[in-house]
Amino acid sequence: KFKNRTAQTRRLTDLIQRVRLKVPVENAEDNTPLELIGLKSFLESIIELRWIVPDMLEEGGAMLLTGPPGIGKTQYSLRWAMNLGLGQEYLNYPVVEPTKVLMFSLEMGFAPLKYFLQSMTKDMNVADIFKLEDMIKFIPLGESLALNNESQKKKFEEAIQYHKPKIIIVDSLSASVNGELTEGNAKDVMNYGDRLRKKYNLTTWFIHHQRKAQAEN
């Protein structure tokens, strides 16, 4: 494709760099030096950010939504999921195109999640609800799914492979680990999220519910 072009080497280098970002080499010895890129080369490269929500959420990006209990982080995320699925503007943010979403509801099981969704969709037209049947899928577990456990990671990825979403929403970070949410296992889950983003070219959206204040915290 780039034969006899003056920018052939740069174009091919850009393509190789894009592949390296998507499919990193794991557990292999690499004695090559780290790549140095100058400012002019950066500016002339063909690699660009691709947005799902311009200036807010990029393709292959990572969102961590956190805040005090009871302020509506899950409902906010559900509203985003529906508007992303329909490709509709939300809170004055444009959405580039309809986007497939997969939500792992580890905090709420089937009944409470249905309660919220019924309330949110009571004024939605039937055509949009039919569209969202394919664009949003829910896994209403209502219990922990430990992403620092190999067998549970396998189940998690099987759902991703089946639905092929562009965005996964995980509610919540603390329910995605075994036991207490320590700094170590939180890092393990977030690092795993980074690998998922590269492996499946998807965006991750984790919800973190901060603990209620107690005497000791």
Side-chain angles (χ1 to χ4, degrees), residues 102-107 139 141-160 169-179 189 192 206:
L102 174 59
M103 181 174 186
F104 294 85
S105 181
L106 311 182
E107 293 279 339
I139 298 180
L141 270 182
E143 61 184 48
S144 175
L145 181 68
L147 300 183
N148 52 354
N149 174 284
E150 290 304 318
S151 65
Q152 296 196 27
K153 278 182 188 177
K154 183 180 178 183
K155 291 169 64 175
F156 189 79
E157 291 194 42
E158 283 173 350
I160 292 171
I169 299 176
V170 180
D171 186 16
S172 66
L173 181 60
S174 60
S176 64
V177 300
N178 278 323
V189 170
Y192 175 59
F206 279 88

Side-chain angles (χ1 to χ4, degrees), residues 118-153:
Q118 282 178 321
S119 174
M120 291 178 173
T121 58
K122 64 177 185 279
D123 297 321
M124 185 178 290
N125 66 62
V126 175
D128 284 348
I129 290 176
F130 270 100
K131 288 178 189 174
L132 292 178
E133 173 69 13
D134 291 326
M135 296 304 290
I136 306 178
K137 298 295 181 184
F138 300 95
I139 298 180
L141 270 182
E143 61 184 48
S144 175
L145 181 68
L147 300 183
N148 52 354
N149 174 284
E150 290 304 318
S151 65
Q152 296 196 27
K153 278 182 188 177

Side-chain angles (χ1 to χ4, degrees), residues 40-194:
K40 183 171 181 292
S41 299
F42 247 119
L43 297 176
E44 292 177 350
S45 70
I46 61 171
I47 298 174
E48 301 287 349
L49 278 179
R50 294 171 60 89
W51 294 103
I52 295 171
V53 181
D55 298 324
M56 176 190 164
L57 193 64
E58 65 176 286
E59 284 190 15
M63 167 75 80
L64 177 63
L65 178 66
T66 184
I71 62 170
K73 296 179 295 297
T74 298
Q75 294 95 313
Y76 175 76
S77 299
L78 287 169
R79 291 283 185 193
W80 262 116
M82 287 187 278
N83 283 279
L84 287 163
L86 294 171
Q88 292 180 349
E89 176 183 295
Y90 183 52
L91 299 177
N92 295 322
Y93 282 98
V95 175
V96 172
E97 61 184 3
T99 304
K100 293 185 81 171
V101 180
L102 174 59
M103 181 174 186
F104 294 85
S105 181
L106 311 182
E107 293 279 339
M108 286 194 288
F110 198 106
L113 184 59
K114 179 182 176 182
Y115 175 81
F116 277 114
L117 291 171
Q118 282 178 321
S119 174
M120 291 178 173
T121 58
K122 64 177 185 279
D123 297 321
M124 185 178 290
N125 66 62
V126 175
D128 284 348
I129 290 176
F130 270 100
K131 288 178 189 174
L132 292 178
E133 173 69 13
D134 291 326
M135 296 304 290
I136 306 178
K137 298 295 181 184
F138 300 95
I139 298 180
L141 270 182
E143 61 184 48
S144 175
L145 181 68
L147 300 183
N148 52 354
N149 174 284
E150 290 304 318
S151 65
Q152 296 196 27
K153 278 182 188 177
K154 183 180 178 183
K155 291 169 64 175
F156 189 79
E157 291 194 42
E158 283 173 350
I160 292 171
Q161 291 163 0
Y162 184 80
H163 182 53
K164 296 181 173 57
K166 289 188 73 172
I167 300 177
I168 58 169
I169 299 176
V170 180
D171 186 16
S172 66
L173 181 60
S174 60
S176 64
V177 300
N178 278 323
E180 288 290 313
L181 183 65
T182 64
E183 181 179 353
N185 58 31
K187 283 182 177 178
D188 287 344
V189 170
M190 298 311 289
N191 288 337
Y192 175 59
D194 290 341

